[in-house]
Amino acid sequence: MEREQAERFEVHEGFNEADIDCYVHVWTTMQAIGGKWKMLILWHVHEGGRRYNELRRRIPGISQKMLTQQLRELEEDGLIARTVYPETPPRVEYEMTAYGRTLEPVFDVMYDWGVLHRERRAGCGSQPPPAVNVRRQPDV
């Protein structure tokens, strides 16, 4: 699939190997974590193991069907793990895998950008300086 995307990209004149390489990697990343819900799901699972209904409550607006689909895709990509506990009734928890934790720096960058973007949209400033770090301080 990735090679197919690269081949489509290659037909456009003016793209070099670095352009194609960048496109393929960004496209691959977007397939794994893109969309309206995946990063929100990952954020909540990142905070600790979460049950299905807990995720539904924490993510307003997501349908049962969409949450199920997104959880399956994240599990298939190895970003989260699904654990079924042999209890009655059965208990299922989702947690981030070690591979999924490699996304932690992405959370920080997205948080920083979200702060800047909200300020900009609220008229609190113009363009942000080139290298700003406004990470949220951990709760003490």
Side-chain angles (χ1 to χ4, degrees):
M1 183 70 94
E2 293 171 9
R3 191 68 230 159
E4 178 183 312
Q5 287 295 325
E7 288 170 3
R8 286 187 202 163
F9 196 66
E10 287 172 357
V11 299
H12 298 286
E13 293 181 27
F15 292 111
N16 60 34
E17 194 64 33
D19 294 331
I20 295 165
D21 189 54
C22 179
Y23 173 84
V24 169
H25 293 301
V26 170
W27 182 85
T28 301
T29 301
M30 293 305 297
Q31 288 298 303
I33 64 171
K36 184 174 181 179
W37 305 110
K38 285 185 179 178
M39 285 304 287
L40 290 172
I41 293 168
L42 287 168
W43 174 254
H44 289 296
V45 172
H46 165 262
E47 295 175 327
R50 301 283 182 218
R51 294 177 75 172
Y52 181 88
N53 283 329
E54 187 177 5
L55 288 168
R56 280 206 60 202
R57 283 191 303 273
R58 289 175 175 261
I59 306 171
I62 192 168
S63 69
Q64 183 174 345
K65 178 182 175 183
M66 183 57 67
L67 179 57
T68 299
Q69 177 184 333
Q70 300 290 278
L71 286 168
R72 283 185 184 145
E73 289 176 11
L74 291 167
E75 187 179 8
E76 287 171 8
D77 286 330
L79 300 173
I80 63 171
R82 179 179 185 265
T83 305
V84 180
Y85 294 93
E87 301 172 356
T88 305
R91 178 171 53 110
V92 177
E93 282 191 3
Y94 297 90
E95 60 187 334
M96 190 163 286
T97 63
Y99 180 58
R101 291 203 178 283
T102 63
L103 290 167
E104 287 176 346
V106 176
F107 292 139
D108 292 339
V109 171
M110 289 181 71
Y111 178 87
D112 291 348
W113 191 85
V115 168
L116 293 171
H117 186 63
R118 285 177 55 99
E119 288 174 354
R120 184 172 186 263
R121 288 182 62 192
C124 296
S126 57
Q127 294 293 336
V132 173
N133 185 352
V134 290
R135 285 200 180 96
R136 176 179 55 145
Q137 296 300 314
D139 296 332
V140 178

